Amino acid sequence: MDTTFEQPARARLITAENQELPVPALLRYGSADPLAVCVDFPPEVSLDGRGVTWTFARALLEEGLRGPAGGGDVHIWPCGRDTTVVEFHSPYGLALLQFPTPTLRGFLLQTYAVVGAGQEDLGETVERGLSALFGSV
């Protein structure tokens, strides 16, 4: 049985003018994809008026809460005791967001309550991925 856990979060978008704008986000984790976490942003905060979802490794979130982590499209690092920075890169630019560290840490702990570290069953996930890749070949 798939289990999904969601947690609302308030982030602050840091603009090019060094302003901080409040941004609602939804942190999401599902046992169907046990190695990943998602951050959903509503349509009203995107440039094109459509909701945006970023998906990245749960291990990246854990590592980024302790120190600088990431490569490619997502980078995470602590900024003081109470703030964690998440930087998202896309072909359209980058978004620099600050999240309360306790919010991210609490969310991460809840994901491990759903699927413990090292207990991820990847068989079904791999099978779904192979099916999607090869179809009915």
Side-chain angles (χ1 to χ4, degrees):
M1 179 171 88
D2 290 341
T3 302
T4 300
F5 171 73
E6 297 178 342
Q7 178 179 325
R10 295 295 293 174
R12 291 188 316 265
L13 174 68
I14 309 302
T15 69
E17 296 80 30
N18 220 19
Q19 294 178 316
E20 296 182 12
L21 304 174
V23 174
L26 182 67
L27 306 173
R28 190 167 40 86
Y29 177 79
S31 61
D33 192 1
L35 297 176
V37 294
C38 299
V39 181
D40 300 326
F41 296 101
E44 60 267 17
V45 300
S46 71
L47 295 175
D48 64 2
R50 296 182 2 205
V52 176
T53 297
W54 284 87
T55 302
F56 54 93
R58 176 169 73 164
L60 174 61
L61 177 58
E62 182 176 5
E63 188 178 341
L65 288 169
R66 293 191 311 265
D73 294 342
V74 181
H75 302 255
I76 303 172
W77 66 91
C79 182
R81 293 174 40 126
D82 298 324
T83 302
T84 299
V85 176
V86 181
E87 185 178 85
F88 297 108
H89 293 255
S90 81
Y92 307 105
L94 81 96
L96 188 68
L97 292 118
Q98 294 179 337
F99 286 87
T101 299
T103 298
L104 294 179
R105 189 169 283 122
F107 170 73
L108 183 63
L109 290 173
Q110 287 294 327
T111 72
Y112 287 124
V114 173
V115 177
Q119 297 178 357
E120 299 91 348
D121 178 13
L122 300 179
E124 186 177 320
T125 302
V126 170
E127 186 65 35
R128 267 197 318 266
L130 289 173
S131 293
L133 182 62
F134 294 113
S136 60
V137 174

